[in-house]
Amino acid sequence: MNSAIVRALIPLLVSALLASACGRKNAAQGGADSTSTDSTSLAGAAGSMEGDAENFGQRDGAAAADSTAKPKKERAINVNAARAVRGDLVRPVVAEGYIRARHSAEIHAEVAGKLVRVMVDEGQTVRRGQMIVKLDDREYEMAAEEARARYLQALSLLTIEDSEVDSALVESAQATRDEFADLERLERTGKITRDERLAREIAMDIQSLKDGKFRGEIAAARSGVSVARADLERARLNLERTEIRAPFDGIVSGLTLTAGEQIMVNQTICTLVDNVNIEAEVGVLEADVGKISPGGIALLAVPALGDTFKVTVDVVSPQFDRATRTCQVLLRVKNEDGRLRPGMFARSLISGERFDDRLLVPREAILTRDDRPLLFKVEGDRAKWLYVDLGESNDHLVEIKSVLQGGTLDPGDRVVVSDHLTLAHDAKIKVRRTLPLNDPWLQSSQGD
């Protein structure tokens, strides 16, 4: 072979040998790297298993710690309570009406004359007999003096004409008049009729004339004494009527007159309203009238004053209003402080049906679960449910006829009346207050 060709092939052989050596070296490095990676993954997995084992150990320790810890403290529910009582249950009758004056009168002038003095003011409170106005009385004084003079003149004539009239005859005539009065009383009591009384009076008059018992009266009539005496009494009465006085205690209303005005007979002077002795007129439905009676207790609420008054039933009318089918009932009130005024609206609760000797609890104590009534009884610091059978009720109280399930209920036992809608049996409770029974008809109501 040519030496030149040999020299050209030598570099090519060397390059091939070098390339083959490099390939084997790379392959060896790659295997080493793979082995290294696998070793790292196994190490990581081992570490993870060690970590999981450590975590499991920690959880087991926590569970063991929890199992030895104290249980949580039970929370008490705050409630209010009231006591069961044994008493009378009253179901009231509701009626509405208005306040009115028991006495109210228009004051009129009974004689004519000039008004000389007004003694009171509009709205003033006056007492019975107190003067309201004064009329000019000079003419009436003169008329009274003239009547007295005529009476004395007639009396003197009687003395001259019939000096024989003695006191025995006068006493006999008085006895006859007493007998007439006895006959009138017999007629009023129904023991004799009117015709019988008149017949007996005529017979007595005839006999008295025969006996001369009316001799003095006949002489007085003949001499004019009787007429003169009547005129004198009339003149004195007219003189008294110039002073217009209050017929009862009350308040003056509608007084618009002033001094100097001329007053006519029967002219209205003012209106007098009794503001102390007042009454409420209420209408009771026909179906409820038989439940009430005079003397019964009633509560009278007046919304305008925001107050309630305890009163009694005074009058139950025997008649019904055809239009409203109600019966008029009067509840009389002493308005000592003057707060009540005629015309005010009033609502009354009148004592009606009474159910004696019942076991009672507040309405607020009753719940319904599964269509069954129950209540919670306080036993120590626990609420025990009692399923009960209910009886009569009013707006405040309910009768417990019997306990169907859960225990017993006696007077004095406390029952829960608040915060019990979601209360469970045997729940722990704390009683904030023991409330009194809010029933106006139950006199035995009491609380702690």
Side-chain angles (χ1 to χ4, degrees):
M1 184 179 298
N2 190 338
S3 59
I5 296 171
V6 172
R7 286 193 298 270
L9 290 174
I10 291 173
L12 293 174
L13 291 173
V14 172
S15 298
L17 291 173
L18 289 175
S20 176
C22 289
R24 287 194 299 270
K25 184 179 180 180
N26 291 336
Q29 289 179 349
D33 291 340
S34 175
T35 304
S36 176
T37 301
D38 291 341
S39 299
T40 303
S41 299
L42 291 174
S48 176
M49 292 177 65
E50 291 178 358
D52 290 342
E54 183 178 356
N55 290 336
F56 281 128
Q58 291 177 353
R59 285 196 294 270
D60 291 341
D66 290 342
S67 63
T68 59
K70 294 182 180 179
K72 292 184 179 180
K73 186 177 181 180
E74 185 178 3
R75 180 185 175 188
I77 301 173
N78 292 323
V79 298
N80 290 331
R83 295 193 183 278
V85 298
R86 182 167 291 279
D88 300 339
L89 179 73
V90 176
R91 186 178 294 159
V93 173
V94 181
E96 296 180 346
Y98 294 89
I99 303 294
R100 73 178 191 182
R102 186 174 176 183
H103 302 296
S104 177
E106 287 189 347
I107 309 301
H108 297 273
E110 297 181 87
V111 295
K114 183 179 179 180
L115 182 61
V116 294
R117 192 184 307 173
V118 178
M119 309 296 293
V120 297
D121 297 323
E122 171 75 10
Q124 180 177 334
T125 300
V126 296
R127 295 294 183 184
R128 179 180 178 181
Q130 183 175 339
M131 189 184 302
I132 298 175
V133 296
K134 180 73 169 68
L135 303 181
D136 188 354
D137 61 357
R138 290 175 295 179
E139 291 188 6
Y140 295 100
E141 285 183 350
M142 289 187 290
E145 290 297 328
E146 291 175 357
R148 178 169 176 76
R150 290 193 296 270
Y151 170 70
L152 293 176
Q153 182 180 7
L155 192 61
S156 64
L157 292 175
L158 175 62
T159 304
I160 294 172
E161 291 181 3
D162 202 348
S163 57
E164 297 179 0
V165 177
D166 56 17
S167 59
L169 291 176
V170 174
E171 292 177 358
S172 178
Q174 181 62 43
T176 301
R177 285 191 287 271
D178 291 342
E179 292 179 5
F180 288 164
D182 291 338
L183 290 176
E184 290 180 358
R185 284 192 292 271
L186 290 174
E187 181 188 359
R188 285 196 301 270
T189 58
K191 295 181 178 180
I192 61 174
T193 64
R194 177 178 174 79
D195 292 338
E196 290 175 340
R197 179 180 67 82
L198 293 176
R200 292 172 66 173
E201 284 182 353
I202 291 173
M204 291 172 62
D205 285 340
I206 293 173
Q207 186 62 42
S208 297
L209 285 173
K210 290 179 180 180
D211 296 340
K213 293 181 180 179
F214 292 143
R215 184 178 176 184
E217 293 183 3
I218 293 172
R222 185 174 63 246
S223 64
V225 170
S226 299
V227 176
R229 178 69 180 179
D231 290 343
L232 176 59
E233 292 299 324
R234 185 179 298 107
R236 287 175 174 173
L237 181 60
N238 288 336
L239 181 60
E240 291 178 1
R241 287 172 173 171
T242 60
E243 296 179 351
I244 300 177
R245 298 178 179 273
F248 52 81
D249 297 350
I251 294 179
V252 176
S253 175
L255 180 61
T256 59
L257 301 175
T258 58
E261 293 189 45
Q262 186 66 32
I263 304 300
M264 305 302 294
V265 176
N266 207 36
Q267 181 176 339
T268 300
I269 303 299
C270 65
T271 300
L272 189 62
V273 179
D274 183 355
N275 68 320
V276 175
N277 299 299
I278 63 175
E279 58 194 12
E281 177 185 345
V282 299
V284 176
L285 294 176
E286 183 177 357
D288 294 329
V289 171
K291 303 173 184 177
I292 63 176
S293 60
I297 302 299
L299 300 175
L300 186 66
V302 183
L305 301 179
D307 202 355
T308 300
F309 303 86
K310 186 176 181 180
V311 298
T312 57
V313 178
D314 194 75
V315 176
V316 179
S317 174
Q319 298 181 351
F320 285 89
D321 187 317
R322 290 185 177 181
T324 61
R325 303 308 305 165
T326 59
C327 175
Q328 182 191 68
V329 176
L330 299 181
L331 310 172
R332 290 182 175 166
V333 188
K334 277 286 186 180
N335 187 31
E336 300 290 353
D337 56 4
R339 298 172 62 203
L340 294 171
R341 296 180 179 273
M344 284 183 170
F345 174 77
R347 180 180 293 107
S348 65
L349 295 175
I350 306 172
S351 177
E353 294 180 281
R354 179 180 292 274
F355 305 94
D356 298 333
D357 194 26
R358 306 299 172 97
L359 181 61
L360 307 172
V361 298
R363 291 184 69 96
E364 296 80 6
I366 304 300
L367 300 172
T368 301
R369 292 185 182 177
D370 298 329
D371 296 327
R372 299 172 62 192
L374 64 83
L375 57 80
F376 284 95
K377 175 183 174 182
V378 178
E379 291 188 4
D381 62 349
R382 298 288 172 174
K384 306 288 187 178
W385 67 27
L386 304 179
Y387 284 94
V388 292
D389 182 20
L390 304 181
E392 305 295 340
S393 64
N394 61 16
D395 290 339
H396 304 280
L397 300 175
V398 180
E399 176 194 0
I400 304 299
K401 297 175 67 175
S402 62
V403 177
L404 303 178
Q405 180 182 347
T408 62
L409 183 66
D410 298 314
D413 290 344
R414 293 189 297 175
V415 295
V416 179
V417 295
S418 73
D419 304 284
H420 56 341
L421 294 179
T422 59
L423 198 62
H425 176 65
D426 206 33
K428 187 174 183 179
I429 59 173
K430 180 180 180 181
V431 178
R432 291 188 299 253
R433 293 178 58 198
T434 300
L435 304 176
L437 296 182
N438 185 26
D439 184 87
W441 313 102
L442 188 68
Q443 297 181 356
S444 62
S445 296
Q446 56 183 329
D448 295 341

